[in-house]
Amino acid sequence: MALAMKLFSLLLLLTLIPLINAAGLKVGFYNKTCASAESLVQQAVAAAFANDSGVAAGLIRLHFHDCFVRGCDASVLLDSPTNQSEKDAIPNNPSLRGFEVVDAAKAAVEAQCPNVVSCADILAFAARDSVALTGNVTYQVPSGRRDGSVSNISEVIPNLPGPSFNATQLVDNFASKNLTAAEMVVLSGAHTLGRSHCSSFLARIYNFTNTTQVDPTLSEAYASLLQTRCPQNTSRFSPITTAMDLITPTLLDNKYYVGLELSLGLFTSDQALLTNSTLSSLVTKFAKHQEDWEKRFIKAMVKMGKIEVLTGTQGEIRANCRVVNSGSTTTTISTTGSSDGVASY
Ligand code: HEM
Ligand SMILES: *[C@@H]1O[C@H](CO)[C@@H](O)[C@H](O)[C@H]1NC(C)=O
Ligand SMILES: *[C@@H]1O[C@H](CO)[C@@H](O)[C@H](O)[C@H]1NC(C)=O
Ligand SMILES: *[C@@H]1O[C@H](CO)[C@@H](O)[C@H](O)[C@H]1NC(C)=O
Ligand SMILES: *[C@@H]1O[C@H](CO)[C@@H](O)[C@H](O)[C@H]1NC(C)=O
Ligand SMILES: *[C@@H]1O[C@H](CO)[C@@H](O)[C@H](O)[C@H]1NC(C)=O
Ligand SMILES: *[C@@H]1O[C@H](CO)[C@@H](O)[C@H](O)[C@H]1NC(C)=O
Ligand SMILES: *[C@@H]1O[C@H](CO)[C@@H](O)[C@H](O)[C@H]1NC(C)=O
Ligand SMILES: *[C@@H]1O[C@H](CO)[C@@H](O)[C@H](O)[C@H]1NC(C)=O
Ligand SMILES: *[C@@H]1O[C@H](CO)[C@@H](O)[C@H](O)[C@H]1NC(C)=O
Ligand SMILES: *[C@@H]1O[C@H](CO)[C@@H](O)[C@H](O)[C@H]1NC(C)=O
Ligand SMILES: *[C@@H]1O[C@H](CO)[C@@H](O)[C@H](O)[C@H]1NC(C)=O
């Protein structure tokens, strides 16, 4: 009898586990377990923004880089003692910023409700709060993500789009994340904010081809300005940066698209949106209609925030966003330098 009962409960549990895992994200996931979670994150982001408004761009990009590599599981936040985690990869190091803001938000949340709110959700909330602080745009973020335990430097370049990508490569990269070509154009509008290091566009302003020094799809006047700012061979570690949206560099608006029409796109990948008529008709539309872009931007941000998420009993709720919880399962990064079932390299 007792054995039958035990078997029955086990069976019940086994049938329920996939259901729990399959549970999607929900707006207000922490309503009961940590009601102040979202406002604590908002306060941390607002405080950091008051000191340095650049953190808004940093946090939006951090969420994007998290979601495109292993899904939105906060893998981008993990530190590696051997510099082998995602944040050490070329597209992230040293340009990603906002890690300290996530730490501050996490500390505030842990003080209220320990071990409840995931780092992946904090990052999604922080990106939303950054959008609200820089634009006239607010939206609700479905939550319930859980944190992964793997962060692998080699997975970054194959999963993220690069600034030298052409239209086909951009469309294909986003398609690999189940995002449409239109959503790619919409999300590229995030380049309405923030900065870039010289290395991301140097190839457009020096020795572009044997016959032309400068990319002909870049405004000549803008190219001269960029040459003044960025000497030849400037390394990616140089502190020199330049605004991504020349027109309104600190506002989340549609001026990025207006800039593209004036050949002011900073990257090959930005200006590439005009090389295909399907994509360029969207650019024209968004340049004219800001509200149309904003609506589509927040929808696309929510969709991006759902890429390959861990839910239910998958993953864990990290105590510290930079390290996996002790006793955790396999990871490609080591948190202690010792080998507690952890493959370090
Ligand atoms: C479409 C393909 C994309 C490419 C090729 C790309 C590439 C880049 C590169 C190279 C930088 C400059 C990094 C540096 O040198 O400092 C950058 C900055 C930025 N990207 Fe993208 N990105 C893309 C899409 C996105 C998306 C989808 C988002 C977010 C939704 C985003 C948000 C940002 C932001 C906010 C910055 C400024 C970061 C800062 O100021 O710290 N990007 N991007
Ligand atoms: C949490 O509360 C908000 C606001 O009342 C509501 O919109 C949302 O559906 C709630 N979510 C859950 C999962 O209870
Ligand atoms: C303020 O911003 C600067 C960078 O702009 C950063 O070095 C510093 O740590 C920030 N201070 C606080 C208190 O967040
Ligand atoms: C990791 O990178 C930092 C600089 O970002 C450097 O100071 C440190 O020596 C590196 N550690 C290893 C083990 O390579
Ligand atoms: C903010 O957005 C709302 C609705 O999208 C719009 O009606 C309003 O004019 C906008 N305000 C500003 C200052 O752009
Ligand atoms: C885009 O780049 C890929 C990879 O370099 C190349 O194979 C393809 O021909 C390019 N497409 C266009 C339209 O330039
Ligand atoms: C895209 O959708 C397919 C089919 O639903 C799914 O198997 C795949 O895991 C999804 N990929 C991502 C990156 O979400
Ligand atoms: C560009 O080409 C010239 C002549 O071929 C060369 O001297 C120079 O070093 C090159 N610059 C870069 C950044 O490769
Ligand atoms: C460009 O110059 C390099 C070396 O100067 C040469 O090897 C290459 O064939 C040239 N390419 C074209 C398209 O002329
Ligand atoms: C840039 O690098 C090239 C070779 O990569 C070198 O020939 C040239 O002298 C460098 N230019 C500067 C200004 O350092
Ligand atoms: C433009 O992009 C769309 C969307 O990816 C694609 O279907 C179409 O074939 C492209 N057109 C050209 C001329 O490359
Ligand atoms: C890291 O990712 C690469 C590329 O997917 C893979 O070949 C490698 O095995 C991974 N490393 C570890 C330790 O899992």
Side-chain angles (χ1 to χ4, degrees), residues 70 84 150-156 158-159 331-333 343-345:
R70 280 193 171 267
Q84 295 294 307
V150 173
S151 187
N152 180 341
I153 190 173
S154 322
E155 292 175 348
V156 175
N159 283 286
T331 161
T332 65
I333 64 143
S344 138
Y345 68 123

Side-chain angles (χ1 to χ4, degrees), residues 43-341:
Q43 285 160 33
V45 173
F49 182 81
N51 169 56
D52 171 10
S53 64
V55 300
L59 289 163
I60 293 168
R61 184 167 183 243
L62 209 42
H63 182 44
F64 160 51
H65 284 208
D66 183 28
C67 294
F68 268 51
V69 183
R70 280 193 171 267
C72 317
D73 69 341
S75 54
V76 74
L77 302 178
L78 288 170
D79 282 343
S80 153
T82 50
N83 294 346
Q84 295 294 307
S85 64
E86 288 175 23
K87 61 168 60 164
D88 301 304
I90 289 171
N92 292 338
N93 176 25
S95 62
L96 271 191
R97 53 174 166 167
F99 295 107
E100 295 78 11
V101 185
V102 176
D103 291 339
K106 177 67 170 172
V109 169
E110 288 301 288
Q112 284 295 311
C113 9
N115 310 317
V116 169
V117 184
S118 69
C119 296
D121 277 344
I122 287 175
L123 196 44
F125 296 146
R128 179 266 311 274
D129 299 333
S130 298
V131 167
L133 284 164
T134 51
N136 175 28
V137 187
T138 58
Y139 61 99
Q140 293 189 306
V141 174
S143 51
R145 294 169 190 79
R146 292 174 60 91
D147 300 325
S149 55
V150 173
S151 187
N152 180 341
I153 190 173
S154 322
E155 292 175 348
V156 175
I157 287 178
N159 283 286
L160 280 180
S164 65
F165 273 21
N166 62 34
T168 313
Q169 291 172 300
L170 289 169
V171 169
D172 290 351
N173 171 264
F174 276 65
S176 75
K177 305 297 168 188
N178 292 336
L179 294 168
T180 65
E183 285 163 341
M184 185 275 290
V185 176
V186 166
L187 287 169
S188 292
H191 289 174
T192 178
L193 285 180
R195 63 173 197 200
S196 171
H197 291 72
C198 300
S199 54
S200 303
F201 55 85
L202 221 46
R204 299 185 75 197
I205 59 170
Y206 298 110
N207 287 9
F208 182 67
T209 64
N210 285 0
T211 49
T212 47
Q213 177 80 347
V214 173
D215 184 339
T217 66
L218 183 63
S219 145
E220 271 182 60
Y222 189 31
S224 303
L225 185 78
L226 292 172
Q227 285 173 338
T228 317
R229 192 144 181 84
C230 297
Q232 274 197 37
N233 302 359
T234 305
S235 111
R236 75 180 208 271
F237 295 106
S238 160
I240 304 171
T241 60
T242 191
M244 306 261 290
D245 170 1
L246 198 58
I247 306 173
T248 52
T250 59
L251 294 182
L252 186 108
D253 61 12
N254 65 340
K255 295 298 187 291
Y256 164 80
Y257 300 102
V258 175
L260 294 184
E261 294 184 322
L262 299 171
S263 301
L264 299 175
L266 189 55
F267 305 145
T268 299
S269 59
D270 294 317
Q271 212 57 50
L273 302 183
L274 295 191
T275 62
N276 167 305
S277 60
T278 310
L279 309 181
S280 69
S281 64
L282 287 166
V283 170
T284 309
K285 181 153 116 174
F286 299 149
K288 282 201 191 104
H289 306 291
Q290 165 146 300
E291 271 190 42
D292 191 1
W293 171 69
E294 284 172 347
K295 277 191 201 126
R296 293 176 71 154
F297 182 69
I298 62 184
K299 264 196 170 169
M301 284 293 283
V302 168
K303 186 169 169 192
M304 183 179 85
K306 293 179 177 173
I307 296 173
E308 294 176 319
V309 291
L310 303 173
T311 57
T313 55
Q314 297 170 323
E316 63 181 13
I317 304 297
R318 244 177 252 158
N320 172 345
C321 292
R322 293 173 182 268
V323 293
V324 298
N325 294 343
S326 56
S328 187
T329 47
T330 46
T331 161
T332 65
I333 64 143
S334 164
T335 53
T336 55
S338 72
S339 55
D340 48 338

